[in-house]
Amino acid sequence: MSSGIQSLLKTEKEAAEIVNEARKYRTNRLKTAKQDAQQEIENYKKQKEADLKKYEQEHEGINEKIDKEADAEVEKELKDLKKQFTEKKQSVIKLLVDATITPNPQLHINAGH
């Protein structure tokens, strides 16, 4: 019987070693899976950052272009206004002076009634 007990203890010890190895294997697989997942996350993050940088570079000049076009439009309008001012300045001054010094005798609209 003692050989049966020794055989049972030996089998139990072997089973404990197998369970221990299985735990080590599972722990190693979990570590590997975490590392793989972290690497995938890093790769995905790098790809998205590269995509964002590419998008920013492609659309970088748009704001500058819009600003330049707006500035050019404002400059053109100011130039046109200055030109109109210069062209009409004398005629407006003459109109104001004439209206001030030339009498225009008319009855007021309310005076006739």
Side-chain angles (χ1 to χ4, degrees):
M1 281 226 189
S2 74
S3 71
I5 292 174
Q6 283 182 349
S7 176
L8 185 61
L9 288 174
K10 183 179 177 187
T11 304
E12 195 175 283
K13 185 178 177 185
E14 288 173 358
E17 286 177 11
I18 291 171
V19 168
N20 222 4
E21 288 299 315
R23 283 185 183 146
K24 285 180 186 177
Y25 177 76
R26 188 185 87 197
T27 303
N28 286 338
R29 289 295 302 146
L30 283 173
K31 285 181 184 177
T32 303
K34 284 181 183 178
Q35 289 171 348
D36 290 347
Q38 188 62 38
Q39 186 61 45
E40 280 187 48
I41 290 169
E42 288 298 318
N43 291 341
Y44 183 77
K45 184 178 175 183
K46 285 178 184 176
Q47 179 62 43
K48 289 302 172 184
E49 286 174 352
D51 292 346
L52 177 62
K53 204 171 261 189
K54 181 181 176 187
Y55 179 84
E56 287 174 344
Q57 287 173 347
E58 288 174 355
H59 295 85
E60 184 176 41
I62 290 177
N63 287 340
E64 291 176 20
K65 182 180 177 186
I66 290 171
D67 288 344
K68 286 181 182 178
E69 288 174 359
D71 288 345
E73 186 67 30
V74 168
E75 285 298 319
K76 182 181 178 285
E77 288 180 21
L78 282 174
K79 191 175 181 181
D80 290 345
L81 286 173
K82 286 178 183 178
K83 181 181 174 190
Q84 287 178 8
F85 171 76
T86 304
E87 289 173 356
K88 297 183 180 192
K89 179 173 133 178
Q90 289 303 318
S91 63
V92 170
I93 290 173
K94 182 177 179 341
L95 181 70
L96 289 173
V97 168
D98 289 347
T100 306
I101 61 172
T102 307
N104 189 5
Q106 288 183 352
L107 285 176
H108 190 269
I109 192 168
N110 293 331
H113 298 287

